[in-house]
Amino acid sequence: MSGTLHGKRPKVAIIGLASCFGCQLQITNMEPHLLSLLDQIELVHWQLASSDPLPEDFDIAVVEGAVTTKEALETMRRVRRRASVVIALGACAVTAGIPGIAAPEFDDHLQTVYGTQVPQAAGNVISPVPISQVVPVDWEVRCCPIDPADFMAALHRFIVGSNKLPSTATLCGECKRNERGCFYGRGQLCMGLVTRAGCGARCPNLGRACNGCAGLSPQANVAAARRMAQDAGIGEARFNTALQLFNSVELQAGA
């Protein structure tokens, strides 16, 4: 759907579901570019900045957070009907992220937290899912939190058009291009073996192992990664626990 808005100044709605709102806060960290961006769009709704209801008319919906209630599910269906473009913002929207940890054995988790009666304020809770499992998504801005530059690029994709394809390789390739040593050689767990590339391996560049916040790469060999963790003395069980941090919903579906 690249370039579908034909150069007009699009109306943008930024919507928050189940998340920490950290990715929306990242947008405010774009100080050098924020005013320039606001000149290119008409910001008609931003849940972080105003409690006004979602308007009827908008072109681009930027959605942060996982779908965890029936109310959120209906909100996404309504948003998809209105918007020409839906952008998933951050790990919670893309993979269900941290809320998605509750997806396996959801009913048991629900009872552990709330007992036999879920508070009315929690809404009609459902097992967490990414927004792509509810409605079609046109573009994903990955990671936790997002890189503001990736958010800018996503909006420009639909304002002026782009034929750039999303990354599909694993993060290990980016580490090699950055000439970083492998954490596994030091007996340290790293999820770059199976995580989708595209962030430039920022955490490894800072000396921190990847935690997998960009989600699973479609080229990932999870079984081989488990064996490598075992051979490195880290253990398959520890690898599996780390893998679930941002990928529980996908793993539950059989990845």
Side-chain angles (χ1 to χ4, degrees):
M1 293 186 65
S2 301
T4 56
L5 300 179
H6 303 296
K8 73 173 183 176
R9 190 165 175 252
K11 296 179 179 179
V12 176
I14 303 177
I15 301 160
L17 302 179
S19 68
C20 69
F21 278 44
C23 290
Q24 292 186 60
L25 284 173
Q26 279 290 83
I27 296 173
T28 67
N29 288 331
M30 298 164 37
E31 292 96 340
H33 311 290
L34 193 56
L35 291 178
S36 173
L37 173 64
L38 292 174
D39 282 342
Q40 300 175 58
I41 65 173
E42 182 181 349
L43 186 59
V44 297
H45 178 78
W46 191 354
Q47 193 171 358
L48 183 65
S50 172
S51 58
D52 290 343
L54 187 68
E56 292 290 330
D57 183 25
F58 50 89
D59 302 299
I60 298 177
V62 179
V63 184
E64 179 193 31
V67 177
T68 60
T69 66
K70 290 181 180 179
E71 291 84 357
L73 188 151
E74 289 304 318
T75 293
M76 282 312 308
R77 288 173 175 166
R78 187 166 64 252
V79 164
R80 182 69 270 187
R81 288 195 296 268
R82 298 179 189 177
S84 299
V85 172
V86 172
I87 298 173
L89 187 73
C92 293
V94 173
T95 70
I98 302 300
I101 294 174
E105 302 175 346
F106 175 71
D107 291 337
D108 292 340
H109 291 307
L110 197 65
Q111 186 171 2
T112 298
V113 174
Y114 293 118
T116 58
Q117 184 67 42
V118 177
Q120 185 176 3
N124 296 300
V125 294
I126 60 175
S127 184
V129 293
I131 63 174
S132 61
Q133 287 196 19
V134 176
V135 298
V137 170
D138 299 296
W139 194 254
E140 297 171 338
V141 182
R142 291 176 174 260
C143 295
C144 177
I146 62 158
D147 182 337
D150 291 341
F151 171 68
M152 286 278 289
L155 282 183
H156 285 157
R157 177 182 188 84
F158 296 103
I159 294 172
V160 300
S162 170
N163 60 1
K164 179 182 178 181
L165 297 175
S167 299
T168 58
T170 61
L171 191 72
C172 281
E174 293 188 333
C175 266
K176 289 180 174 64
R177 284 191 291 274
N178 294 338
E179 299 184 350
R180 296 292 308 180
C182 183
F183 287 98
Y184 280 91
R186 304 194 292 272
Q188 187 175 350
L189 177 64
C190 179
M191 303 312 296
L193 286 169
V194 295
T195 299
R196 188 186 290 248
C199 68
R202 290 184 181 87
C203 288
N205 285 346
L206 294 172
R208 299 197 299 261
C210 172
N211 66 7
C213 72
L216 281 172
S217 162
Q219 299 180 20
N221 187 331
V222 177
R226 289 185 174 118
R227 291 194 298 271
M228 184 166 179
Q230 188 69 25
D231 293 344
I234 295 165
E236 184 175 327
R238 189 177 164 203
F239 177 89
N240 288 338
T241 299
L243 186 61
Q244 291 180 39
L245 181 62
F246 289 99
N247 302 288
S248 286
V249 172
E250 188 168 356
L251 293 169
Q252 188 181 29

